Amino acid sequence: MSSKTKSKIPTVKTIVSTIGSVAAAAVVIRSVARDYLPREFRNYLYLGVRNFINKFSTHLTMIINESEGFQDNEIYNATELYVAARMSSDIHLIKVTKTPNQNNIAVAIEVNEEFTDIFNGVNLYWSLVSKKTPHRHTRSQDGMNYSSRTDLRSFELTFHRDHKDMVLNEYLPFVLKEAEIKKQEHKTLKLFTVTTTSSYSRPSTWTSVNLDHPANFATLAMDDDMKENVMKDLDRFVERREYYRKVGKAWKRGYLLYGPPGTGKSSLIAAMANHLNFDIYDLELTDVKSNSELRTLLVATANRSILVVEDIDCSVKFHDREAAEAARALAQKKGKLLPGEEKNISQAASLISINFKGTQTLNYIDGLWSTCGDERIIIFTTNHKDKLDSALIRPGRMDVYIHMSYCTPCGFRQLVSNYLGINDHILFKQIEDLICEINVTPAEIAEQLLKNDNPDIVLDGLIEFFDVKRMKEEKEELATKDNEKNEKSG
């Protein structure tokens, strides 16, 4: 061993011994400080030491907590999705979950794991940390479920302090945007309905189930030109956020679907939801107790959703305004009633309530309340368009009118392709001629196609169905003419 090497040995021993002494002294000082120094003084001392160290640090750390009070932190939720989508093989611990209401397996970073991201050439370091806290009780939005938490999770984002403005103005907005895209890709569509309560102290709320309707535009029994126009209109709508802002209009679009029962209005709504990946809110106005409750429900609908009011002509009566005013005046004379007028008062209250709900619905379509949300589709359906009040269908409220008519030859071929898996048959021409003569709905044809798997048997049965329907219509026509003759002779 050379003399030079021998001279280094005491130096190494000295360094190790010094480190051990310093560590031991630190443990003693920490123990003494914890036992004898007041808590306030310890916190002040810790803060001073940390500030001293930070003066020499070139990095900045942002803390993104899981929640703020009882509200979820949108940035935290977006970060969780963003990091999960970009995690590399360097991460050794990940969390895998799937709830009964989810279609896909969810993957997320686990506590104490780190992830390095690069944005515009800048290294950004993410880590997920968890801190123990006293029990925190949280309640779900519908007020039915409670949960208890003993930890507070947060993401820590560390980067060079020179890039603070870039992170706030560019990187975090980028994370939010990417997370929204990821969320839509793995979104499980929901169908929301109103859950009513018997108590006025607890208002009605939206509750949801998974929407697993298979309808899509490829299998919809509609004319090809109409399907193409609807799809183009939907795609154009979702791409025009800035245009709507420029012209000063709420980012929404209204559709009125009208036609006989069984013509596919509900299937078209499901196809639109699947095409846009939008949730559906099915609103039954008769289930809503008051005007304020209706407003609360309407505002609570989420962005990127479809609000559906089916059979609007039966749910809202706008056209009896004069009768409503007369009924209101009658109700005000409650103390001076004649026998039998209690029934009229009850009818008056019902009529006034319906008109209030109709007015509130219109305000949501194009009034000030229509601006409380973005990217929303509003769909009204009716079997009798002629019964609708002009206040509902005036320009600016319903943007697109779609007539769901009886089945056409094009729709028939689509149904046969869906149900029987064939695109041509010797009986097609005869059936298409019958479709042009006799009004039949897609639902009636679909019912016949389900009766057998053999195309020959099914199509023969469909022809017989047309014959029976023609005979029934002829009998009804003769009966109508006989009634008219009897009325004239009487």
Side-chain angles (χ1 to χ4, degrees), residues 426-441:
I426 191 173
L427 296 177
F428 273 14
K429 180 65 170 61
Q430 182 180 353
I431 294 175
E432 288 172 357
D433 290 341
L434 290 171
I435 287 176
C436 295
E437 297 175 10
I438 303 170
N439 290 333
V440 60
T441 66

Side-chain angles (χ1 to χ4, degrees), residues 338-396:
L338 297 175
E341 286 189 336
E342 290 86 352
K343 182 178 179 181
N344 292 335
I345 286 185
S346 176
Q347 294 174 347
S350 175
L351 186 57
I352 293 169
S353 175
I354 290 175
N355 274 277
F356 278 160
K357 292 176 184 178
T359 302
Q360 196 60 236
T361 306
L362 295 184
N363 286 337
Y364 179 78
I365 295 175
D366 65 352
L368 291 176
W369 290 104
S370 66
T371 60
C372 298
D374 278 334
E375 208 170 358
R376 286 170 172 161
I377 300 290
I378 301 169
I379 299 179
F380 290 162
T381 73
T382 179
N383 298 332
H384 308 283
K385 181 186 174 185
D386 56 308
K387 292 184 179 181
L388 297 180
D389 189 271
S390 59
L392 177 64
I393 60 177
R394 71 165 175 78

Side-chain angles (χ1 to χ4, degrees), residues 117-176:
D117 193 20
I118 300 177
F119 182 78
N120 290 345
V122 176
N123 289 335
L124 302 115
Y125 308 96
W126 288 101
S127 62
L128 179 62
V129 299
S130 175
K131 296 179 181 178
K132 293 295 181 181
T133 63
H135 274 79
R136 297 181 299 122
H137 298 280
T138 59
R139 186 174 64 181
S140 61
Q141 290 184 354
D142 57 11
M144 302 298 293
N145 299 316
Y146 290 83
S147 63
S148 178
R149 295 286 301 274
T150 59
D151 68 324
L152 177 63
R153 297 192 173 193
S154 61
F155 276 102
E156 293 187 355
L157 175 59
T158 303
F159 51 90
H160 197 285
R161 61 175 63 251
D162 290 346
H163 303 298
K164 175 184 174 183
D165 292 338
M166 183 274 292
V167 169
L168 289 174
N169 300 326
E170 298 180 36
Y171 181 63
L172 290 182
F174 171 77
V175 169
L176 290 170

Side-chain angles (χ1 to χ4, degrees), residues 208-450:
S208 67
V209 295
N210 287 350
L211 177 64
D212 195 21
H213 200 294
N216 57 70
F217 282 105
T219 60
L220 208 59
M222 290 176 60
D223 286 339
D224 291 337
D225 290 342
M226 182 181 293
K227 286 196 289 187
E228 187 70 20
N229 290 336
V230 173
M231 285 189 290
K232 286 182 178 179
D233 189 78
L234 293 172
D235 294 337
R236 186 166 174 260
F237 166 73
V238 297
E239 295 172 356
R240 305 186 83 192
R241 176 188 181 93
E242 296 305 322
Y243 175 81
Y244 277 85
R245 288 187 176 275
K246 183 180 72 173
V247 300
K249 287 181 62 68
W251 192 15
K252 63 165 187 63
R253 195 150 182 83
Y255 292 80
L256 177 67
L257 311 185
Y258 64 97
T263 52
K265 292 186 284 294
S266 296
S267 295
L268 176 57
I269 293 172
M272 294 169 73
N274 287 325
H275 181 73
L276 296 174
N277 207 23
F278 280 16
D279 292 330
I280 294 178
Y281 288 80
D282 185 19
L283 178 62
E284 179 61 55
L285 290 176
T286 56
D287 291 339
V288 184
K289 295 190 289 286
S290 66
N291 187 43
S292 59
E293 184 174 277
L294 175 61
R295 183 171 61 248
T296 300
L297 287 169
L298 292 174
V299 174
T301 58
N303 294 341
R304 296 181 62 83
S305 64
I306 299 175
L307 175 69
V308 178
V309 181
E310 295 190 279
D311 299 323
I312 187 67
D313 55 300
C314 300
S315 300
V316 178
K317 306 293 185 184
F318 297 99
H319 50 275
D320 288 332
R321 293 186 185 88
E322 294 181 1
E325 291 300 324
R328 187 197 302 271
L330 178 63
Q332 291 174 349
K333 300 192 303 180
K334 189 173 181 179
K336 304 176 182 179
L337 293 180
L338 297 175
E341 286 189 336
E342 290 86 352
K343 182 178 179 181
N344 292 335
I345 286 185
S346 176
Q347 294 174 347
S350 175
L351 186 57
I352 293 169
S353 175
I354 290 175
N355 274 277
F356 278 160
K357 292 176 184 178
T359 302
Q360 196 60 236
T361 306
L362 295 184
N363 286 337
Y364 179 78
I365 295 175
D366 65 352
L368 291 176
W369 290 104
S370 66
T371 60
C372 298
D374 278 334
E375 208 170 358
R376 286 170 172 161
I377 300 290
I378 301 169
I379 299 179
F380 290 162
T381 73
T382 179
N383 298 332
H384 308 283
K385 181 186 174 185
D386 56 308
K387 292 184 179 181
L388 297 180
D389 189 271
S390 59
L392 177 64
I393 60 177
R394 71 165 175 78
R397 285 184 171 157
M398 291 290 102
D399 304 294
V400 182
Y401 298 82
I402 302 176
H403 182 208
M404 307 297 293
S405 64
Y406 292 104
C407 192
T408 62
C410 179
F412 161 72
R413 286 180 175 268
Q414 182 64 64
L415 286 171
V416 173
S417 176
N418 295 342
Y419 286 82
L420 302 179
I422 60 174
N423 296 316
D424 197 11
H425 194 276
I426 191 173
L427 296 177
F428 273 14
K429 180 65 170 61
Q430 182 180 353
I431 294 175
E432 288 172 357
D433 290 341
L434 290 171
I435 287 176
C436 295
E437 297 175 10
I438 303 170
N439 290 333
V440 60
T441 66
E444 289 176 314
I445 290 183
E447 183 180 11
Q448 299 300 315
L449 296 179
L450 280 170

Side-chain angles (χ1 to χ4, degrees), residues 78-91 94 107-109 114-122 124 126 155 170-182 185-186:
T79 299
E80 193 171 37
L81 290 173
Y82 176 80
V83 172
R86 293 186 169 238
M87 287 188 302
S88 65
S89 58
D90 296 337
I91 293 181
I94 60 176
V107 179
I109 190 172
E114 297 181 349
F115 162 70
T116 302
D117 193 20
I118 300 177
F119 182 78
N120 290 345
V122 176
L124 302 115
W126 288 101
F155 276 102
E170 298 180 36
Y171 181 63
L172 290 182
F174 171 77
V175 169
L176 290 170
K177 183 178 179 180
E178 289 293 305
E180 182 62 28
I181 295 174
K182 194 69 178 177
E185 290 177 354
H186 296 282

Side-chain angles (χ1 to χ4, degrees), residues 94-98 105-110:
I94 60 176
K95 179 177 65 175
V96 180
T97 58
K98 182 184 181 301
I105 296 175
V107 179
I109 190 172
E110 189 49 286

